[in-house]
Amino acid sequence: MYTVKDNLIFGFHGCDESLCKKLINGEESLDYSKNPYDWLGKGMYFWENDPERALEWAKNVQKYAQNQKQKIEVPSVVGAVICLGKCLDFMEISNLKKLKDVYIELTEKGYQLPENTGQSFYKRNLDCFLINYLVAKEEKENGTKYDSVRGVFFEGNELYKNAGFREKNHIQIAVINPNCIKGYFKVREINQDFDEV
């Protein structure tokens, strides 16, 4: 009853300035990421409500070995208005249980599962595999077609000793259904002459 999220949210995608312009002008569509290490399975990736984090990623993408194919000459950010629709939201306990159950099911059947590796498990091969499996299983067994996947990630160094917060905490979205993206926009600077609304 509460899994369909029909409200609109803002998502931000770090990319090259040329792609940003093409998306805004309707000349190109965003491609699905289908890497085996993607954090939320296959989809079009956005940082929720955080253009600064998206720009930071775009500026540093070449540091990550697995992203060498994505050349960003002029780091930029495109905003998107997104309706998550039927969302596999990992901030909900029922969906976390589903993911855990899939893991248990596959290990009991003797599947040789991939592993999450790298610093702070940057390459999430296991998570990606399980999420993609869960999405396909839900559609096959229950007719459930997910439009998006959403998760919260605690990343980076502690803000201070014994902090519950880290430098790069974020909410990430993988859009599966392109119709969830209602439009793209250029990220604006705040007009300092007025209060922020």
Side-chain angles (χ1 to χ4, degrees):
M1 184 161 110
Y2 301 107
T3 60
V4 176
K5 300 178 184 330
D6 55 8
N7 57 313
L8 298 175
I9 63 163
F10 294 119
F12 297 91
H13 181 81
C15 57
D16 188 73
E17 185 177 54
S18 62
L19 177 57
C20 180
K21 289 177 182 176
K22 288 176 184 174
L23 290 169
I24 290 168
N25 293 328
E27 299 167 5
E28 200 163 319
S29 297
L30 200 55
D31 288 333
Y32 284 89
S33 183
K34 297 179 184 176
N35 299 308
Y37 49 77
D38 287 335
W39 290 26
L40 293 171
K42 74 172 186 173
M44 296 169 276
Y45 275 75
F46 297 89
W47 309 92
E48 186 174 326
N49 294 327
D50 199 346
E52 188 176 338
R53 183 72 172 92
L55 182 60
E56 179 186 270
W57 182 87
K59 287 178 178 177
N60 294 304
V61 69
Q62 298 328 132
K63 290 181 183 178
Y64 307 116
Q66 71 262 34
N67 287 314
Q68 290 302 316
K69 64 184 176 188
Q70 187 163 354
K71 301 296 181 207
I72 296 180
E73 294 177 19
V74 181
S76 189
V77 174
V78 64
V81 179
I82 301 169
C83 175
L84 296 176
K86 179 71 176 166
C87 183
L88 182 60
D89 192 340
F90 291 115
M91 291 186 285
E92 296 173 8
I93 197 164
S94 61
N95 291 325
L96 292 168
K97 183 180 180 321
K98 285 179 189 177
L99 192 62
K100 183 178 181 180
D101 288 348
V102 162
Y103 174 79
I104 292 168
E105 171 193 333
L106 294 177
T107 53
E108 286 178 351
K109 288 180 178 177
Y111 274 71
Q112 187 66 33
L113 296 173
E115 294 182 5
N116 291 338
T117 59
Q119 184 179 11
S120 299
F121 297 119
Y122 190 77
K123 292 184 179 181
R124 296 185 182 239
N125 295 62
L126 175 61
D127 296 343
C128 183
F129 179 84
L130 292 174
I131 291 167
N132 286 336
Y133 182 90
L134 176 58
V135 167
K137 177 182 177 170
E138 288 278 302
E139 183 172 357
K140 182 179 179 183
E141 293 180 2
N142 307 320
T144 302
K145 288 182 135 183
Y146 286 108
D147 296 309
S148 61
V149 182
R150 184 176 183 230
V152 62
F153 297 97
F154 303 95
E155 185 185 7
N157 297 320
E158 292 179 338
L159 285 183
Y160 42 85
K161 186 178 178 183
N162 298 323
F165 301 98
R166 298 191 171 268
E167 291 175 336
K168 297 183 179 184
N169 289 356
H170 63 277
I171 297 172
Q172 203 164 42
I173 299 162
V175 173
I176 299 170
N177 179 350
N179 294 324
C180 290
I181 301 169
K182 304 306 179 187
Y184 293 104
F185 62 92
K186 181 176 171 34
V187 177
R188 296 179 51 226
E189 296 291 325
I190 294 173
N191 185 328
Q192 300 298 330
D193 295 334
F194 295 88
D195 292 336
E196 192 173 344
V197 180

